[in-house]
Structure formats: structure tokens, C-alpha cells
């Protein structure tokens, strides 16, 4: 069942506020009720104490039938009765007609004598005349549909036991508490309504940025136009949602670059594969349509088709190598992102003697001693071996040798006959540095940022003549990055280039 997030957040905030208001209301109401009844009990007990300590109880037989106002006695709706141990009324506060036989509570008219006979009997039963320690009892009785609070106190004076009862109606307290309940209910209802409305508009404003992101993502999914962006400006300054929109735009930028790169890669790969396929097809058509072709021409057509097939095979192998390197590099980037903030990155691969690989590559390209000078000169530029420092790194020996061979092959390919190519290995801090320097044609400054792109050629005509596919340097960079390394290039047109591969040392 689909429930909008805006509605869920609004209801959640409203429920939280409602619970907080309910708890606050219960606390306020309980304290008000406790305070009101505590004040009533204090009033009743103080009136009883006034009667007990009054001068009119000083001697027997002098008790007046109508109690005078002693310490506010009889005021505030408090009715006072003085009873004998036989439950007969001895004195009471009078009503407006001064009829002490009808003590009133808030003008209730004639009232029972005593107010609470059960409490009076309990007071007599538990009263100890010897100690004469006053001990009062609070009770509540119902009279004429009103609750009456009664305080009962037993007392002895000159051998005579008296029961003092003070009573007051709880109507004013109940009315005040009812008004408080209504006020809390109305205030709570108004606060909940404000919470609903405010929460709805607040979540609408918060989720507006999310809706913009969703709308942009849906539009991109439909049109596949990665140039669209989410607005990041907000009325209330930068917040988490603005950061989300900025991050989303950065992701779109990366996706747009990858998408364009993929389109360019597919177009270049198709173009590169189309040429050998066309050449092979033309040669096969020639052999098919001209069966009486001279043997020399037929052999040349077959050799040309074989050469194009070999070039297409190399191109396919290079593409497979790049695909595997991309998969390994993606896993590496995910690993680094998971360990972001920590310097402990897993070094995958075996420990490889990098100096041994350089010597193998040097012997592979350097002519042997048995060859004469004329034959050596026909092999191309001179290959020089400079300082070699014994070095160990993590990686795969075949892949790292492929890096060295590709750089040497690229340097020899673009270096003239009278030039030279040097190979060196050194260490710096915690890195091994493989340097391949040539005195070739160099690279134009505008081409340097693109030479590691797939199928990119600084000079397409001469590259094709030299048999290049435009994937060599891309494969080199992919392998180097796979082992946490980097590659740099410095070049001056007409003077030569220097490629430097940096790899972490095995003991770092």
C-alpha cells in the first residue's frame, strides 16, 4: 500500500506532539487537582483547629449554640459542627436566619447532622482520652448531588468528648478542574491542528527538493539526456537537501562523461573493426570472383587478409584486456571508498621483482652480441639501460611486464632511426618509479590530456601506418591504476617524451 512520505512524516510529527501535549496536560491537571484538594484539606483542618483551640471550649456548659467567627470561622463556605459523644449537635455555624440547627455549605439549605456519621463513629472508637492527641479524618460525602469534603476531629475538654466536623462543598474545585480540562482540551486540539498544517507545509518544503531530484531522474531515464541538472538554490540557504542536489548533479556530470565516453568508445571500436573487416571481405571477394587470378596476386591478397585478421585479433585482445582492467579497477575503487579515512588499503597481487621485469623487457628489445653492427642498426633506435634499483612491488608479473613493453614499444615506434630510448628504475619515498625516455617526435601540449583515452591518436595517419590501435596507453594506465599506481608524461614536440610509472613499494 502506497502511503506518501509527506503524509507519514506529518502524522508522525502530529502523534509525537499529541503525546507530548497529553503528557503535559495530565501532569498539569494532576498537579492542579492535588493542589486544590490539599488547600481544601488545609482549610478544613485549620477551621477545626480554630474551634478546638477557641476560648468557648474552655469550660463545659458554656458552649454557644451559634459559633462566632474565630480566625475566619465559618467564612469561605465552610460549615462547622460540634457534636457530643452521643452524636447530638452542640453548636454549629448558622445560616442567614441564625438557625444553628441548619448549618449550611454553600447555601445547600438544611444539611445532615452530623455531616459524616461514619467518620464520627470511627473518630470516637479510635480516640484515646488519656493522650488526647488530636487525629483527624478526611472523607467525602454526597449531598444534594454535590460532593462535600468533611474533616472529622475528636477532642476532650474537661472530661467531655466532642466531635468537630468541618465541611465544604467541592463544587468550586470541580468547576475549576472542569474549566482546566476544557482549556487543556481546546489548547491541545488547536496545537494538533497547527501541527498538522505546519507539518504538512514543512514536509512539503523539505520533500520539494526530493521531488525535483525524482523528476530530473525520471526525465533522464526517459530521454537519456544527461545534460539536465537539479536546481541547487534554496530560499533558506544551503542544507542537507541542497548538498543532496549538488551530489546528484556531480553524479550526473560523471554519468554524462561516462556516457559520452562510452558512445565515443563504441564509435571508435566500430570504426577500427570496420577497416580490417572491409579489407578481408574485399580480398575474399577478389579471390572468389577471380578464380584465374595469378598466383602472386592471390598470395598477396591472402597475406593482406591475414595481416588484417591479425590486426583485428590484436584489437579484440586489447579490448578484452581493457574490460578486465575496468572490472578490477571498479572493484578497487569500491574497496577504497569503503576504507575511506583509513590508510590500510588491501594490496592485492603477489610480490614482484620489478627490476627483473625491466631487464627481461630490455633483453627482449636489445640486439644480442652475435648480431653485427649493420644488422643492429636496422633494428631501430638505440635502447639504453640506465640506473636500475632492486625494487619489489605488489602486482601481476605478466601485467606489469605488459606495461613496460607497451611503453618501450610506443617509444621505439615514434623515435627516429638516429634517436635513442632509455629505461630506468629508481625509488623515492615509498614509491617505485619506472622511467621510459625517448628522443622522438614528442607530443603536442593539446594532445597530452587525451593520450590515455581509448582509440585516441595524436597523429592518426602515422599511427595507423605504425600499426597502432590507440589502446596501448589506455591499457597501461588501467593496469597501473589497478595496482594503486599512477602514470605521468612530460613531452616537448621535436625533442622527445618521458613516461613515468609510479607504483607503491611492497614494504610500504
Amino acid at each position: 500500500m502506497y502511503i506518501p512520505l509527506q503524509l507519514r512524516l506529518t502524522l508522525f510529527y502530529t502523534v509525537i506532539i499529541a503525546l507530548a501535549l497529553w503528557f503535559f496536560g495530565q501532569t498539569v491537571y494532576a498537579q492542579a487537582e492535588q493542589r486544590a484538594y490539599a488547600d481544601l484539606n488545609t482549610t478544613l483542618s485549620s477551621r477545626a483547629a480554630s474551634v478546638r483551640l477557641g476560648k468557648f471550649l474552655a469550660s463545659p456548659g458554656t458552649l454557644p449554640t451559634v459559633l462566632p467567627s474565630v480566625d475566619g470561622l465559618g467564612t469561605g463556605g465552610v460549615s462547622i459542627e460540634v457534636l457530643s459523644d452521643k452524636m447530638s449537635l452542640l453548636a454549629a455555624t448558622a445560616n442567614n436566619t441564625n438557625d444553628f440547627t441548619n448549618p449550611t455549605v454553600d447555601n445547600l439549605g438544611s444539611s445532615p447532622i452530623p455531616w459524616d456519621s461514619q467518620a464520627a463513629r470511627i473518630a470516637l472508637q479510635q480516640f484515646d482520652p488519656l493522650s488526647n492527641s488530636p487525629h483527624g479524618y478526611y472523607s467525602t460525602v454526597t449531598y444534594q448531588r454535590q460532593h462535600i469534603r468533611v474533616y472529622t476531629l475528636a477532642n476532650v475538654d474537661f472530661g467531655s468528648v466532642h466531635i468537630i466536623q468541618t465541611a465544604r462543598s467541592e463544587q468550586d474545585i470541580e468547576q475549576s478542574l472542569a474549566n482546566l480540562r476544557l482549556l487543556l482540551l481546546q489548547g491541545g486540539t488547536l496545537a494538533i491542528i497547527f501541527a498538522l498544517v505546519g507539518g504538512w507545509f514543512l514536509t512539503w518544503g523539505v520533500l520539494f527538493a526530493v521531488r525535483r531530484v525524482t523528476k530530473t531522474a525520471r526525465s533522464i531515464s526517459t530521454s537519456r539526456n544527461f545534460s539536465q541538472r537539479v536546481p541547487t538554490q534554496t530560499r533558506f540557504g544551503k542544507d542537507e537537501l541542497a548538498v543532496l542536489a549538488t551530489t546528484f548533479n556531480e553524479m550526473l556530470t560523471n554519468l554524462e562523461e561516462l556516457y559520452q565516453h562510452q558512445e565515443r568508445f563504441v564509435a571508435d571500436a566500430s570504426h577500427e573493426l570496420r577497416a580490417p573487416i572491409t579489407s578481408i571481405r574485399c580480398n575474399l571477394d577478389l579471390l572468389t570472383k577471380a578464380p584465374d587470378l595469378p598466383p602472386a596476386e592471390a598470395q598477396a591478397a591472402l597475406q593482406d587478409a591475414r595481416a588484417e585478421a591479425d590486426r583485428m585479433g590484436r584489437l579484440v585482445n586489447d579490448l578484452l584486456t581493457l574490460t578486465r582492467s575496468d572490472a578490477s579497477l571498479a572493484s578497487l575503487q569500491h574497496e577504497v571508498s569503503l576504507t575511506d579515512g583509513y590508510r590500510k588499503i588491501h594490496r592485492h597481487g603477489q610480490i614482484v621483482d620489478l627490476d627483473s621485469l625491466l631487464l627481461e623487457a630490455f633483453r627482449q628489445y636489445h640486439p644480442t652480441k652475435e648480431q653485427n653492427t649493420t644488422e643492429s642498426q636496422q633494428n631501430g633506435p638505440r635502447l639504453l639501460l640506465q640506473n636500475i634499483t632492486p625494487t619489489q612491488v605488489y602486482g601481476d608479473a605478466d601485467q606489469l611486464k605488459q606495461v613496460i613493453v607497451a611503453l618501450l614499444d610506443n617509444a621505439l615506434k615514434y623515435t627516429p632511426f638516429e634517436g635513442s630510448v632509455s629505461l630506468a628504475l629508481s625509488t623515492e619515498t615509498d614509491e617505485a618509479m619506472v622511467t621510459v625516455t625517448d628522443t622522438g617526435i614528442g607530443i603536442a601540449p593539446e594532445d597530452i590530456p587525451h593520450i590515455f583515452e581509448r582509440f585516441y591518436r595524436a597523429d592518426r595517419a602515422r599511427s595507423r601506418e605504425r600499426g597502432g590501435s590507440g589502446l596501448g596507453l589506455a591499457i597501461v594506465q588501467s593496469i597501473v591504476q589497478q595496482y594503486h599506481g599512477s602514470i605521468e608524461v612530460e613531452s616537448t614536440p621535436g625533442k622527445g617524451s618521458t613516461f613515468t610509472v609510479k607504483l607503491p613499494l611492497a614494504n610500504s
Side-chain angles (χ1 to χ4, degrees):
M1 183 176 62
Y2 175 75
I3 301 178
L5 181 60
Q6 182 178 359
L7 178 61
R8 283 188 288 173
L9 289 176
T10 302
L11 293 178
F12 175 76
Y13 294 145
T14 303
V15 169
I16 294 298
I17 293 177
L19 291 176
L21 290 175
W22 177 83
F23 178 78
F24 173 76
Q26 289 289 331
T27 303
V28 171
Y29 183 82
Q31 291 181 352
E33 183 180 28
Q34 182 181 5
R35 177 63 61 84
Y37 282 102
D39 292 342
L40 177 58
N41 292 339
T42 302
T43 300
L44 295 177
S45 62
S46 64
R47 294 295 185 269
S50 299
V51 174
R52 177 175 176 271
L53 298 176
K55 300 298 183 179
F56 47 82
L57 294 180
S59 60
T62 62
L63 187 65
T65 57
V66 178
L67 295 176
S69 178
V70 178
D71 189 23
L73 189 63
T75 60
V78 177
S79 178
I80 304 174
E81 295 179 339
V82 180
L83 308 172
S84 66
D85 56 354
K86 304 299 183 181
M87 299 299 170
S88 59
L89 183 62
L90 300 178
T93 52
N95 53 14
N96 294 333
T97 59
N98 293 327
D99 183 4
F100 83 96
T101 59
N102 295 320
T104 61
V105 177
D106 289 347
N107 299 322
L108 288 179
S110 300
S111 56
I113 300 174
W115 282 103
D116 191 349
S117 57
Q118 183 177 1
R121 294 188 184 93
I122 294 175
L124 287 174
Q125 292 174 1
Q126 297 183 357
F127 178 69
D128 186 5
L130 297 179
S131 62
N132 193 22
S133 58
H135 185 70
Y137 300 92
Y138 293 99
S139 59
T140 301
V141 297
T142 303
Y143 178 67
Q144 293 185 2
R145 298 181 180 180
Q146 290 190 22
H147 295 113
I148 309 299
R149 188 68 170 170
V150 180
Y151 176 74
T152 304
L153 178 67
N155 182 58
V156 60
D157 292 306
F158 300 100
S160 299
V161 179
H162 300 97
I163 302 298
I164 304 174
Q165 281 193 340
T166 55
R168 182 180 175 182
S169 174
E170 299 178 1
Q171 184 178 12
D172 56 340
I173 296 179
E174 293 174 348
Q175 184 62 40
S176 298
L177 293 177
N179 293 336
L180 179 60
R181 282 196 303 269
L182 181 61
L183 179 63
L184 292 175
L185 180 61
Q186 292 176 345
T189 303
L190 186 61
I192 291 175
I193 293 175
F194 282 141
L196 281 171
V197 176
W200 180 265
F201 283 103
L202 179 63
T203 53
W204 182 87
V206 169
L207 296 177
F208 179 72
V210 179
R211 284 192 290 270
R212 287 191 301 185
V213 173
T214 304
K215 182 180 179 181
T216 304
R218 186 179 292 111
S219 176
I220 292 174
S221 177
T222 304
S223 63
R224 296 195 177 185
N225 180 15
F226 290 96
S227 62
Q228 302 181 61
R229 295 294 182 267
V230 179
T232 57
Q233 295 181 353
T234 59
R235 297 179 179 178
F236 305 103
K238 190 174 183 180
D239 53 12
E240 289 80 358
L241 293 176
V243 174
L244 172 64
T246 303
T247 305
F248 187 76
N249 288 337
E250 293 175 355
M251 181 190 69
L252 289 178
T253 301
N254 295 332
L255 288 177
E256 184 180 12
E257 294 177 355
L258 291 175
Y259 186 72
Q260 293 175 351
H261 181 73
Q262 182 182 18
E263 286 185 331
R264 186 169 58 251
F265 175 77
V266 172
D268 292 340
S270 301
H271 176 74
E272 294 293 334
L273 289 173
R274 187 182 298 113
I277 291 175
T278 302
S279 177
I280 293 172
R281 181 180 297 170
C282 291
N283 286 302
L284 292 178
D285 289 343
L286 176 63
L287 293 175
T288 302
K289 295 179 181 180
D292 54 349
L293 195 68
E297 294 184 8
Q299 186 65 27
L302 289 174
Q303 290 179 354
D304 185 55
R306 181 178 181 83
E308 292 297 332
D310 290 341
R311 190 163 73 90
M312 187 170 61
R314 290 193 300 270
L315 180 61
V316 172
N317 289 332
D318 289 343
L319 290 175
L320 291 177
T321 301
L322 279 174
T323 302
R324 288 192 294 267
S325 298
D326 287 344
S328 178
L329 184 59
S331 175
L332 170 65
Q333 291 175 346
H334 178 66
E335 175 186 348
V336 172
S337 65
L338 290 178
T339 58
D340 189 20
Y342 301 90
R343 297 301 299 173
K344 299 180 180 179
I345 301 177
H346 175 61
R347 305 291 187 184
H348 59 291
Q350 300 177 348
I351 296 179
V352 178
D353 293 327
L354 192 57
D355 52 315
S356 299
L357 294 181
L358 260 72
L359 292 175
E360 291 180 9
F362 177 78
R363 285 192 294 267
Q364 178 178 340
Y365 281 88
H366 195 271
T368 59
K369 293 182 180 180
E370 288 77 11
Q371 294 176 308
N372 18 3
T373 307
T374 303
E375 191 176 1
S376 334
Q377 290 175 349
Q378 293 176 355
N379 289 331
R382 292 179 300 163
L383 181 60
L384 306 176
L385 186 64
Q386 295 182 346
N387 58 309
I388 301 295
T389 303
T391 306
Q392 290 183 331
V393 296
Y394 285 104
D396 180 81
D398 293 336
Q399 288 184 329
L400 294 179
K401 184 178 179 180
Q402 184 180 2
V403 170
I404 300 172
V405 169
L407 291 177
L408 283 176
D409 185 70
N410 188 73
L412 292 171
K413 189 182 302 181
Y414 293 99
T415 301
F417 168 77
E418 64 276 5
S420 63
V421 176
S422 60
L423 183 63
L425 173 62
S426 61
T427 59
E428 181 178 335
T429 313
D430 56 351
E431 291 181 326
M433 295 191 303
V434 178
T435 305
V436 179
T437 305
D438 63 70
T439 58
I441 60 176
I443 306 172
E446 62 271 14
D447 292 327
I448 290 180
H450 306 286
I451 60 175
F452 295 105
E453 295 179 4
R454 301 171 186 185
F455 294 111
Y456 183 83
R457 295 189 184 93
D459 190 338
R460 291 185 174 270
R462 285 185 293 177
S463 297
R464 189 175 298 279
E465 292 174 358
R466 290 175 170 83
S469 63
L471 294 176
L473 292 179
I475 294 175
V476 169
Q477 185 186 51
S478 180
I479 294 175
V480 170
Q481 290 179 347
Q482 179 180 346
Y483 296 110
H484 311 279
S486 62
I487 182 170
E488 301 173 355
V489 59
E490 296 179 0
S491 182
T492 302
K495 294 185 178 181
S497 305
T498 299
F499 287 83
T500 304
V501 175
K502 297 182 180 179
L503 294 170
L505 295 175
N507 56 359
S508 61

